[in-house]
Amino acid sequence: MSEHTMRAVTLSGFGGPEVLTVGRVARPEPLPTEVLVRVHAAGINPVDWKTRAGQGMAGLQRLPLILGWDVSGVVEEVGFGVTTLAPGDEVYAMPWFPRPAGGYAEYVTAPSRQFARKPASIGHAEAAALPLAALTAWHALVDTAGVRAGQRVLVHAAAGGVGHLAVQMARHLGAEVVATARESRHAWLEELGADETIDYTRQRFEEATGGVDVVIDLIGGLDATDVRSVAVTRPGGLVVSVPGGVSPALAAAAGRAGVRTSPLLVEPDGAALTAIAGLVDSGAVRVAVEHVFALEQAAEAHRRGETNRTRGKLVLDVAG
């Protein structure tokens, strides 16, 4: 095949998983300050299938589109001015988000400082599962909430991609961690560092816990989880609402209770990825990959992800 083309999963119109097709497209070329990375694996996130369906970040994309923001691979070429990376370096990143990054493809280009050297202790599939989820957890816990030792942190949807990493990071920061998840996930979450687990299908979490300093809300308005979180948060505490931001209902409830709120949208952050790689290599954080799909199975991977029953992450094997 021509060195100027590459395999990629594309969609020419928004819709169901069946709109994802594998074909050959033009290979990107790095501009000054950018690197060309040969992708070995691409992580799959809920924003991927939401965007594919015409929701999520669809309004910021142009068709035809190559989905995917999480990548792990090897630097193939560097543009003029790049000083931090060199060909042959193993890297991982969440480039360009929320602009299109084209992660479901054999090559991506992006500014070099959006990348970081991948954790040395794990392979590309695990590394590709990290960036968006780990950066979301890091930005929420470290940059937004400033979690410190002795605080109580409640993580909703704790068994998911962001959630299981947030549990571990909060524990690493010295917090007491409360996690909501189905009972079948409780033992695993306790292994990851959860001090208290609540089965949200059997018990209202506000009846089971309280005195929380920080809530990492990864559910939002579904079943009014965001608003109900105010009831367990101490005055002066913080609810970080990730999906959809701070709704008027949440803002009103928080205002009455003297609770702070903050929206969060993850950003590319090579420096934070370097710190996260250190946590992974030290054993403080580990990422769970439930299943690795071939690139040609992207539609199947989306169908599985949309069940919202994944433990950890799903990944595409691009190099295989």
Side-chain angles (χ1 to χ4, degrees), residues 23-90:
R24 298 199 71 84
V25 300
R27 196 182 87 171
E29 297 294 334
L31 297 175
T33 76
E34 293 185 349
V35 293
L36 173 71
V37 172
R38 184 179 182 89
V39 178
H40 284 234
I44 298 173
N45 295 285
V47 68
D48 296 10
W49 59 75
K50 291 175 182 178
T51 300
R52 184 216 70 225
Q55 304 165 7
M57 297 299 165
L60 300 179
Q61 319 302 313
R62 289 184 178 181
L63 297 172
L65 171 66
I66 301 173
L67 283 172
W69 283 277
D70 277 349
V71 296
S72 181
V74 178
V75 175
E76 185 97 348
E77 183 182 338
V78 300
F80 175 80
V82 173
T83 61
T84 57
L85 296 171
D89 287 343
E90 293 189 321

Side-chain angles (χ1 to χ4, degrees), residues 91-298:
V91 295
Y92 76 137
M94 183 200 69
W96 295 117
F97 188 85
R99 296 173 183 268
Y104 295 6
E106 290 181 312
Y107 293 91
V108 297
T109 55
S112 63
R113 293 178 189 271
Q114 293 186 4
F115 289 86
R117 287 175 173 79
K118 84 168 185 62
S121 59
I122 60 176
H124 287 291
E126 290 175 296
L130 278 167
L132 189 148
L135 284 174
T136 300
W138 180 275
H139 289 166
L141 292 163
V142 177
D143 295 344
T144 302
V147 169
R148 58 188 184 275
Q151 290 188 314
R152 279 171 58 81
V153 174
L154 169 61
V155 180
H156 287 306
V162 177
H164 84 290
L165 296 169
V167 167
Q168 296 172 80
M169 289 183 190
R171 183 58 180 268
H172 176 74
L173 293 168
E176 180 182 345
V177 184
V178 183
T180 66
R182 291 176 177 270
E183 186 177 13
S184 61
R185 308 298 197 202
H186 286 188
W188 174 60
L189 288 169
E190 288 163 5
E191 290 177 10
L192 296 181
D195 299 283
E196 182 181 337
T197 50
I198 302 168
D199 183 353
Y200 66 91
T201 69
R202 297 183 178 182
Q203 186 177 20
R204 304 286 279 185
F205 65 82
E206 63 268 37
E207 298 172 357
T209 194
V212 171
D213 296 286
V214 176
V215 177
I216 305 301
D217 171 27
L218 304 171
I219 298 177
L222 183 64
D223 198 23
T225 298
D226 53 352
V227 175
R228 290 164 51 211
S229 294
V230 173
V232 304
T233 307
R234 64 167 181 79
L238 175 66
V239 176
V240 182
S241 189
V242 178
V246 178
S247 68
L250 172 58
R256 291 190 296 268
V259 169
R260 296 175 296 132
T261 61
S262 177
L264 178 74
L265 184 63
V266 68
E267 302 174 59
D269 190 342
L273 284 177
T274 297
I276 291 165
L279 293 180
V280 173
D281 285 338
S282 72
V285 169
R286 65 181 189 266
V287 61
V289 175
E290 183 175 273
H291 194 79
V292 178
F293 295 84
L295 189 66
E296 290 76 12
Q297 296 175 305

